[in-house]
Amino acid sequence: MAIQARATRMELLHLRKRAALARRGHKLLKDKLDELMRQFKILLSEYLGARQSLEAKLETAYREFIFARASMREESLSDALRYPGAVATVTTSTRRVMNLTLPVFDIAMTGSYINYGMFDTTPELDRSLEVYSEVLPEVVRLAGQEKAIGILAGEIDRTRRRVNALEYILIPELVEAVAAIRLKLDEMERGNLTRLMKVKKMTEQRREAADAVLKAAAGRPSTG
Amino acid sequence: MKSLFLFANGRVSALEKDLLPPRMWQMLLSARDVEEAGRLLADTWYGRFLQGGNFENCFEQAAQAIEQELMELSEDPALVRGILHRRDVRNARYIWKAALSGHPSPVETERPGLIPLDVLRSALTDSEPAPELPALMSRSLEEIRSLQELSPAAIDSVMDRLAAAMEMEELPGMYPGFASFLAARMDILNFGIAARCRLAGMDRTASEQLLLEGGTRKPAEIAQAASSGALPALISDTVELESLGSVLRDAIAEKSFLEYSRESERILLGMLDTGAFAVFGPAPLAAFVIKKEYEISHLRILLAAKAARLERSRLLRRLPRG
C-alpha cells in the first residue's frame, strides 16, 4: 500500500529523512546478510565434512551391529545394553556470531562401554559399541552445529526479508511518496505563480484603466 | 535296554535329513532379497512354522519343536537338563541382574527351560535354596550375594562362570567325542574373550577374571598369551584349533571377528558332523540339537543381512555356509 502523506514541505522533509534512514538501514542489513551468509557457508562446509565422516563410521557400526543382533538372542542383547558402564556428560556453552547466540555442545565420557558378560555376547557387539562411543562426541558436536546452522538460517531468512522489504517496498514507496509530494508542491507552486501572475496582470490592468481615467480627466477643460 | 538310545538315534538319523543341505544354503545366499529367501525357506522344514513372513516367530517355534523332539527321544534326563538349563541360566542372569541392579520394571526373559521363572525370582529373597535350583546355580547365587560390589559387571562375571560350568558339567558326561567338542567350544570362546579384552584395553588381571574354565587351555595361560601378544601362536598350538591362528591374528589387527566367528563355527560344525560319537548313547541326539541351534542362528544372520541389503561378500565373511 502506498504511503499516504499530506503534500506539505514538512511532510516532504520528514519522508526524505525516512528514505535516507531506510537506505542506510538497507545497506547495513545487506552487509549483515553478506556476513551471515559467509558464516553460514563456513559452518555448513564444516558440518557437511563432519557429517560425511560420521556417516561412514556409523555405517561400520551398523554393519557390525547387524551381525551382533542376529547372532544374539533379543533378550541377551537387551540385557547387555540395559546397564551402560560408560557415563557421558554433555556440557553446553554459547558463542556469539553477528549478535546471535549459538550453542556449543561438548561431551566427556568416563567408564567402559563394555559392561556385560562375554559368554552370551559377540565381538561384533563390542566393535559396534566401540564405534558408537567414538562417534558419540561427534554426534553431540554435530547436533550443536546443526542447531547453529538452523539459527543462522533463520536469521538469514529474517534479514533477507527485511532487506527485500526495504529494497522493494519501503524505499520505493518513500521515493514515490517524496516524488508525489514534490510534484504536488511544484504544481501548487506553479498554481500560485500563475495566480500571482494573473493577479499582477489584473492589478496592472486595473492600474492602467485607472491611469487612463485619470489621464482622460486631466485632458478635459476645467469648468471652475 | 533303554539307555542305549537305539530308537532315539535312529530317529535322529531321520531328522538330520531336515537340516538344510549345502545346495539350499547356496540358494539362500544367492537370494536377491529377504522376501526371496523367505520363499526358499518356506519350501524347507521351516515352512511349517513360517506364517506371515514372521521369521523370529518361525525360529522360535522351530526351536520349540526341536526341544520337544529332544524331550521325547532322550532317555537320559541329564541330556535334557544339559540343554535346557542353558536357558535357565540365561533367564537367571536377566532376572537376578535386574533385581540386584535396581532395575525398576520386569525384564524380558526367554521361555523357561526346566526352572519356572517364579522360582528364579523368589530364589533371590528365599533364605533356603529352592529344590528346583541346581547346585551350581545355588552356589552362584550365594557368590553373587557375597559380592562386595554388586555391579552388573560383577554379576555378569559370576553368571558367565555359571553358564560355562553348566555347559561343561552337565553336557560332557556323555562320551569323550562330545566332551572334546565342548572343550573346543570353550577354548574358542576363551580365545575370543581374551582378544576382545585386549582390544578393549583391559589389563591381564581383569581379562583373566573374565576367562572361563573348561577348555583345554587354562585361563591363566590364555591371559598370559594375550598380554604378551601371543594369542595367535597359542591358538595355533591348541588341538582342533590349529587353523585359527592366522584368523585370530587378522581379527585382532582389523578389530573384526567376523572371520574368526565363521571359522570357529566351521570347526565346531565339522566336529559335530564327523565327531566320533558313540552310536549307543545320547551324544548323537545332543549333536543334532546343537547343529539345529547353529542352523537357526545362521539363518537369522542370513535373513538379517538380506534385510539390511548387505553384500554377499560381507555375509560370507561371517557365515560358515556356502
Side-chain angles (χ1 to χ4, degrees):
Chain A
M1 204 174 95
I3 294 169
Q4 302 290 319
R6 284 174 296 135
T8 59
R9 287 201 177 276
M10 186 84 109
E11 196 67 37
L12 180 68
L13 282 172
H14 176 63
L15 285 178
R16 271 187 184 160
K17 272 184 192 167
R18 271 184 71 191
L21 186 67
R23 279 196 198 94
R24 214 163 53 236
H26 174 257
K27 188 184 174 308
L28 282 172
L29 283 173
K30 190 111 179 158
D31 289 348
K32 181 184 175 183
L33 183 66
D34 291 345
E35 182 56 21
L36 281 174
M37 282 302 291
R38 199 179 67 84
Q39 293 284 348
F40 182 77
K41 280 180 185 166
I42 293 170
L43 212 59
L44 194 68
S45 67
E46 276 175 18
Y47 170 78
L48 289 176
R51 175 135 196 157
Q52 249 176 7
S53 108
L54 175 72
E55 278 176 1
K57 286 178 190 167
L58 278 178
E59 198 182 327
T60 313
Y62 287 140
R63 279 161 173 260
E64 295 282 340
F65 194 70
I66 286 168
F67 287 120
R69 197 174 164 185
S71 315
M72 290 171 65
R73 286 168 198 84
E74 203 180 322
E75 296 84 1
S76 290
L77 184 62
S78 305
D79 184 69
L81 301 178
R82 193 173 290 127
Y83 313 94
V87 177
T89 313
V90 178
T91 51
T92 59
S93 55
T94 55
R95 68 187 173 110
R96 305 278 293 176
V97 172
M98 300 292 296
N99 214 27
L100 288 172
T101 308
L102 304 182
V104 178
F105 300 145
D106 222 334
I107 190 166
M109 290 189 45
T110 51
S112 167
Y113 56 87
I114 295 182
N115 195 37
Y116 42 78
M118 299 267 180
F119 189 84
D120 284 326
T121 56
T122 62
E124 288 79 41
L125 183 65
D126 300 355
R127 178 71 184 134
S128 52
L129 288 188
E130 185 192 353
V131 181
Y132 286 139
S133 71
E134 276 170 15
V135 299
L136 187 61
E138 288 179 41
V139 170
V140 170
R141 260 198 300 278
L142 221 59
Q145 281 182 329
E146 206 166 293
K147 185 68 188 165
I149 285 171
I151 292 172
L152 267 177
E155 186 62 18
I156 286 171
D157 190 40
R158 265 195 303 279
T159 311
R160 180 169 288 148
R161 267 192 275 125
R162 283 180 188 154
V163 168
N164 285 345
L166 284 174
E167 192 171 340
Y168 297 108
I169 297 172
L170 188 64
I171 294 174
E173 279 180 1
L174 284 171
V175 168
E176 199 180 316
V178 166
I181 291 174
R182 190 177 285 145
L183 273 176
K184 192 91 176 169
L185 286 176
D186 285 352
E187 197 180 315
M188 281 164 65
E189 205 169 317
R190 278 195 299 278
N192 278 341
L193 194 65
T194 313
R195 203 176 305 115
L196 280 173
M197 284 166 73
K198 186 83 179 166
V199 168
K200 189 179 173 189
K201 197 176 174 184
M202 283 167 65
T203 313
E204 279 173 357
Q205 279 174 350
R206 274 185 196 162
R207 194 183 297 136
E208 277 170 13
D211 286 350
V213 170
L214 283 174
K215 268 187 190 163
R220 234 179 2 217
S222 170
T223 55
Chain B
M1 197 169 152
K2 281 186 100 183
S3 62
L4 288 179
F5 273 76
L6 283 175
F7 170 71
N9 291 337
R11 174 95 180 111
V12 164
S13 301
L15 285 173
E16 286 201 327
K17 292 191 174 61
D18 290 334
L19 290 167
L20 298 183
R23 189 167 165 275
M24 177 51 75
W25 279 107
Q26 284 296 349
M27 286 164 71
L28 285 167
L29 282 165
S30 306
R32 271 194 311 277
D33 49 28
V34 70
E35 284 79 19
E36 191 180 330
R39 279 196 295 276
L40 288 167
L41 206 58
D43 293 334
T44 65
W45 176 77
Y46 293 92
R48 72 186 77 172
F49 310 111
L50 197 58
Q51 285 164 351
N54 188 341
F55 295 117
E56 278 308 311
N57 193 30
C58 163
F59 295 141
E60 183 61 30
Q61 286 186 33
Q64 280 186 38
I66 297 294
E67 277 175 19
Q68 195 59 39
E69 289 278 3
L70 167 76
M71 283 189 273
E72 283 171 13
L73 293 176
S74 178
E75 297 161 31
D76 182 2
L79 171 60
V80 178
R81 274 203 309 274
I83 298 286
L84 297 189
H85 270 164
R86 294 179 304 163
R87 199 159 61 237
D88 291 325
V89 172
R90 290 198 294 272
N91 279 336
R93 182 197 296 262
Y94 310 146
I95 293 169
W96 293 351
K97 201 160 81 167
L100 295 169
S101 307
H103 194 265
S105 52
V107 290
E108 308 96 314
T109 50
E110 299 174 37
R111 280 179 295 118
L114 291 176
I115 306 171
L117 295 176
D118 286 340
V119 172
L120 292 175
R121 286 192 191 102
S122 59
L124 277 173
T125 47
D126 291 349
S127 51
E128 286 294 309
E132 294 95 331
L133 279 190
L136 278 171
M137 281 179 98
S138 300
R139 273 208 298 277
S140 295
L141 187 57
E142 282 309 310
E143 195 182 338
I144 289 172
R145 280 188 182 130
S146 64
L147 283 174
Q148 285 182 337
E149 186 203 1
L150 210 58
S151 64
I155 298 170
D156 267 324
S157 179
V158 176
M159 295 310 287
D160 277 358
R161 285 199 294 277
L162 170 65
M166 276 288 199
E167 207 159 273
M168 296 311 298
E169 287 187 23
E170 292 204 336
L171 279 176
M174 47 186 79
Y175 302 105
F178 202 70
S180 64
F181 163 80
L182 288 170
R185 191 151 95 155
M186 199 52 68
D187 277 334
I188 286 168
L189 185 65
N190 271 339
F191 277 105
I193 291 173
R196 288 163 73 184
C197 291
R198 189 178 144 88
L199 289 179
M202 290 185 198
D203 60 20
R204 187 189 155 170
T205 321
S207 58
E208 192 174 337
Q209 281 170 355
L210 292 174
L211 296 174
L212 306 162
E213 296 285 348
T216 57
R217 296 286 182 190
K218 294 280 167 218
E221 201 180 355
I222 297 176
Q224 166 63 31
S227 65
S228 61
L231 270 180
L234 187 65
I235 202 170
S236 298
D237 284 342
T238 306
V239 183
E240 303 282 3
L241 311 182
E242 295 85 355
S243 61
L244 287 180
S246 59
V247 182
L248 187 59
R249 187 178 301 112
D250 293 347
I252 294 170
E254 293 169 18
K255 290 186 173 182
S256 173
F257 286 74
L258 294 179
E259 279 96 349
Y260 179 74
S261 305
R262 180 192 66 194
E263 289 309 312
S264 308
E265 286 174 7
R266 192 167 275 162
I267 289 171
L268 293 173
L269 283 171
M271 287 176 83
L272 287 176
D273 279 336
T274 59
F277 300 133
V279 180
F280 304 119
L285 179 57
F288 169 72
V289 172
I290 291 173
K291 269 194 266 185
K292 215 52 180 162
E293 283 177 355
Y294 273 121
E295 186 175 88
I296 290 174
S297 166
H298 294 157
L299 280 172
R300 288 184 77 213
I301 293 171
L302 183 135
L303 293 171
K306 291 282 172 199
R309 299 186 182 284
L310 276 190
E311 53 273 32
R312 187 186 156 111
S313 58
R314 189 160 177 82
L315 178 56
L316 285 174
R317 281 181 65 193
R318 171 63 185 86
L319 215 57
R321 313 275 185 167

